[in-house]
Amino acid sequence: MTALDVQALKKEFPLLTRDRGDRPLVYLDSAASAQPPQAVLDAMDDYYVTTHANVHRGVYAIAEEATRRLEAARVKLGRFIGAPQPEREVIFTKNATEAINLVAYAWGRHNLRRGNVVVLSEIEHHANLVPWLMLKDELGIELRYIPLGRDFHLDLTDLDRLVAGARLVGVTAASNVLGTVVDLAPIVAAAHATGAVVLVDGAQLAPHRRVDVAAADIDFFALTGHKMLGPTGIGALWARAELLETMPPFLGGGEMISDVRLDGFLPNELPWKFEAGTPPIAEAIGLGAAVDYLEAVGLDAIGAHETALVGYALEKLTAAYDEIRVFGPAPDPVRRSGVISFAFDGVHPHDVAQVLDQSGICVRAGHHCAKPLMRVLGVAATTRASLYLYNDESDIDALVGGLATVRKLFSR
Amino acid sequence: MNELEDLYREIILDHYRSPRNRGELPVPPAHRVEGFNPLCGDEIVIFLDVRDGVLEDLKISGRGCSISQSSASMMSAAVKGLPVDEVHRLVRSFKSMMTIEGPPANAGAPDEPTVEPVDPATLGELGALQGVVKFPVRIKCATLAWNALTQGLDEIAVGSAGGA
């Protein structure tokens, strides 16, 4: 059912194949954080072992090599998401959250005034809600929300009215709770028609589907490294160079300046204008290696694999358990990711996850940093299993088997 | 499986399925206090009716996992009708049982009551929750209601001291 040789692939992920005695790891939490392959660990290791030095400063050989590797990672990542000017438009950040905060801080404070409208959606992660709620408190901007439809896709019926007069429209590309892959095209068209810029939270899409920021005609795109096989501590913001040029800097310090006097400073060129202080060099290089890995496997193959596997999982889960209610759209090659959130009737998600853990099955339970969405769904929390390229039917079968223990324990 | 059965004891599941003292009390005269577990979204609301230094009645609403709900239910059964100072003593005993390292050897500042090591057997039904300690993430679930109760009693004490 799949073009990927998962058995061979899995061997390249040390944590997934580590001997754990009689309890093999069934890792179904890649939407929270994916496991890095050996190639990513090697790239970071090699950097520290052979060429660690601070970047953009030293004239000696290893410092130049460190700078070269950092900038090569930037260009790789930019090309990976279709950036027209990868060497200038990709800003390294700590994660997607910091990337969105950069937009809210540098673009938002420079462009938004009291009463201005920012449009988000009901399915956003807190990362794309709280920065704007902070601006609401600080500047008095108005927030509007694209609602969730009954089919677990965004309801775009009222889109034109919602975005009318907006300055920014910020939406997730793929929900970390529902597995919904958002149809960006009509949102981008409506936003641009009214003169708004478009921010896309790509944290849950970039690891799983081919992204082309230029073809999508968006303005800002945020991603994080550790969900796409890279290390933690590294993410990125892509933005159109024209926008970045008009924005004031974000954090101030070394690296982001071209001159400093006691009475003022001149910011550096793009992209370093937005990168104050020594960057996470090894992490950026690790992310570059993760991009190489994803390119080698192929995003199309990964997408097809996940679509097949999520179909298998939904069928098995709902066939085996009447108690299960899935919060998410039907399987679809384009509009559905490998994230499966569900309620297990009569058992709280925390208890479900606790029982599954005893069988070595890692799933997430909670509100998934999307409390407004939980309220829309009418639940306090869900159990979430999320798939990636290294998962296969055996992981799903283990999940289905593990849930039998949940049923047994709680129907005593 | 043994660890799991130790965590999800029959008495815990019984309180989860049939929570005691569930509901609300009119405010005032009752005092209302909320507790949240930001990690999992569990929330609890406790209504306290304290008269003449005695916790005459309490009701609990909210939602959460089996551990937080059963702990709240068992707590309500244990503290209802007790003098407030005995409630505080029970809270300290329970929280001592819920501490991973156990109570510190010579407990803290002079104004802080010394916490005696607690034999779970003396806590009655509440002793069933000691299995939670092996699952550190769940300790917050088990103590959610107890922290809210303490907060509520403190608020009532401050309110009456201020002559409100």
Side-chain angles (χ1 to χ4, degrees):
Chain A
M1 73 183 252
T2 163
L4 294 186
D5 182 354
V6 177
Q7 282 317 304
L9 252 171
K10 232 174 202 176
K11 294 197 178 80
E12 296 172 21
F13 292 79
L15 199 143
L16 297 180
T17 44
R18 217 169 130 238
D19 184 12
R20 292 162 40 92
D22 57 350
R23 212 175 74 166
L25 192 71
V26 176
Y27 191 74
L28 292 169
D29 199 20
S30 296
S33 200
Q35 299 298 342
Q38 189 63 49
V40 166
L41 305 177
D42 287 347
M44 291 193 290
D45 225 32
D46 185 70
Y47 162 73
Y48 273 123
V49 170
T50 67
T51 191
H52 171 64
N54 212 332
V55 290
H56 304 135
R57 288 163 180 74
V59 294
Y60 47 91
I62 60 167
E64 287 202 352
E65 175 60 10
T67 304
R68 191 194 65 73
R69 290 192 192 186
L70 173 75
E71 293 305 322
R74 188 192 308 278
V75 170
K76 263 181 214 174
L77 182 63
R79 289 194 181 129
F80 181 69
I81 58 169
Q85 300 179 54
E87 69 289 345
R88 300 181 69 221
E89 295 176 331
V90 174
I91 317 291
F92 282 128
T93 61
K94 184 168 63 182
N95 44 35
T97 298
E98 188 183 280
I100 294 170
N101 274 273
L102 194 165
V103 177
Y105 192 95
W107 184 90
R109 277 172 181 76
H110 191 63
N111 288 281
L112 296 173
R113 302 284 173 270
R114 173 169 297 277
N116 283 173
V117 173
V118 165
V119 178
L120 308 168
S121 89
E122 287 182 344
I123 68 172
E124 298 308 310
H125 188 284
H126 294 166
N128 194 32
L129 289 170
V130 181
W132 306 108
L133 289 167
M134 288 164 73
L135 281 192
K136 177 173 178 267
D137 288 348
E138 188 183 321
L139 302 177
I141 61 169
E142 181 192 340
L143 298 182
R144 295 180 192 157
Y145 297 94
I146 304 173
L148 177 68
R150 295 178 63 87
D151 58 358
F152 296 105
H153 289 287
L154 290 183
D155 179 356
L156 304 182
T157 324
D158 239 1
L159 184 63
D160 289 336
R161 194 188 55 78
L162 269 177
V163 303
R167 301 295 312 275
L168 179 140
V169 176
V171 289
T172 185
S175 164
N176 68 313
V177 175
L178 307 169
T180 304
V181 176
V182 173
D183 186 7
L184 292 173
I187 297 172
V188 173
H192 284 171
T194 196
V197 294
V198 177
L199 160 73
V200 173
D201 173 0
Q204 296 288 342
L205 190 73
H208 303 281
R209 298 289 187 278
R210 190 157 296 287
V211 169
D212 189 329
V213 292
D217 195 26
I218 59 177
D219 302 288
F220 298 103
F221 187 83
L223 60 78
T224 192
H226 68 99
K227 294 191 202 295
M228 47 191 285
L229 308 183
T232 57
I234 186 80
L237 173 72
W238 169 85
R240 285 194 292 113
E242 313 91 271
L243 277 171
L244 290 174
E245 274 159 2
T246 65
M247 285 158 57
F250 177 34
L251 301 174
E255 183 101 353
M256 51 73 70
I257 48 86
S258 65
D259 189 24
V260 181
R261 294 163 189 272
L262 291 179
D263 61 353
F265 73 97
L266 280 175
N268 202 340
E269 296 169 11
L270 295 180
W272 308 292
K273 170 181 165 185
F274 294 100
E275 293 179 356
T278 298
I281 307 166
E283 287 78 3
I285 290 167
L287 178 54
V291 165
D292 285 341
Y293 191 92
L294 289 169
E295 295 273 25
V297 177
L299 267 294
D300 294 338
I302 293 171
H305 171 70
E306 289 172 359
T307 298
L309 198 56
V310 80
Y312 177 83
L314 291 173
E315 194 185 305
K316 287 275 170 184
L317 286 169
T318 50
Y321 298 102
D322 288 338
E323 324 65 332
I324 280 186
R325 188 160 46 109
V326 174
F327 301 105
D332 180 285
V334 182
R335 300 266 153 258
R336 178 87 168 78
S337 78
V339 170
I340 303 166
S341 268
F342 62 89
F344 196 95
D345 190 29
V347 190
H348 189 277
H350 251 189
D351 296 314
V352 173
Q354 186 86 66
V355 175
L356 291 175
D357 174 58
Q358 293 299 298
S359 309
I361 302 166
C362 309
V363 297
R364 173 84 188 271
H367 52 64
H368 316 294
C369 297
K371 289 196 84 170
L373 174 56
M374 293 295 117
R375 292 192 179 95
V376 170
L377 297 176
V379 294
T382 72
T383 307
R384 182 187 72 186
S386 53
L387 314 173
Y388 208 0
L389 72 172
Y390 39 61
N391 293 118
D392 60 14
E393 290 91 334
S394 72
D395 297 318
I396 305 302
D397 295 343
L399 172 65
V400 173
L403 288 169
T405 312
V406 175
R407 178 192 267 171
K408 187 163 153 258
L409 206 56
F410 280 85
S411 57
R412 275 189 290 172
Chain B
M1 196 62 200
N2 272 342
E3 268 195 338
L4 272 185
E5 275 166 3
D6 200 32
L7 177 66
Y8 296 117
R9 297 204 188 157
E10 191 53 48
I11 184 75
I12 290 177
L13 294 182
D14 177 61
H15 276 270
Y16 178 47
R17 292 195 198 100
S18 321
R20 324 295 197 260
N21 300 300
R22 185 98 187 145
E24 302 185 358
L25 291 174
V27 181
H31 181 81
R32 182 183 188 277
V33 63
E34 290 179 358
F36 293 98
N37 185 341
L39 284 176
C40 57
D42 285 2
E43 54 191 50
I44 198 156
V45 186
I46 308 182
F47 298 84
L48 299 167
D49 183 3
V50 175
R51 266 175 278 169
D52 302 327
V54 175
L55 179 52
E56 295 285 355
D57 197 7
L58 79 165
K59 294 278 187 198
I60 295 177
S61 66
R63 53 188 177 179
C65 66
S66 62
I67 302 301
S68 73
Q69 297 300 291
S70 62
S71 180
S73 173
M74 287 187 210
M75 177 189 84
S76 74
V79 300
K80 188 171 165 175
L82 288 187
V84 169
D85 53 353
E86 278 187 42
V87 174
H88 282 301
R89 195 172 309 138
L90 188 63
V91 171
R92 284 197 294 275
S93 298
F94 180 77
K95 292 186 79 166
S96 154
M97 182 178 81
M98 282 296 129
T99 309
I100 298 173
E101 309 84 21
N106 45 358
D111 58 335
E112 217 168 273
T114 310
V115 181
E116 297 297 329
V118 175
D119 177 4
T122 64
L123 285 171
E125 285 191 346
L126 289 167
L129 283 163
Q130 67 170 315
V132 173
V133 180
K134 285 187 211 141
F135 301 84
V137 178
R138 306 302 293 278
I139 293 175
K140 276 204 169 111
C141 309
T143 54
L144 178 66
W146 298 80
N147 290 331
L149 174 66
T150 304
Q151 188 192 329
L153 291 174
D154 289 349
E155 286 167 3
I156 292 171
V158 169
S160 53

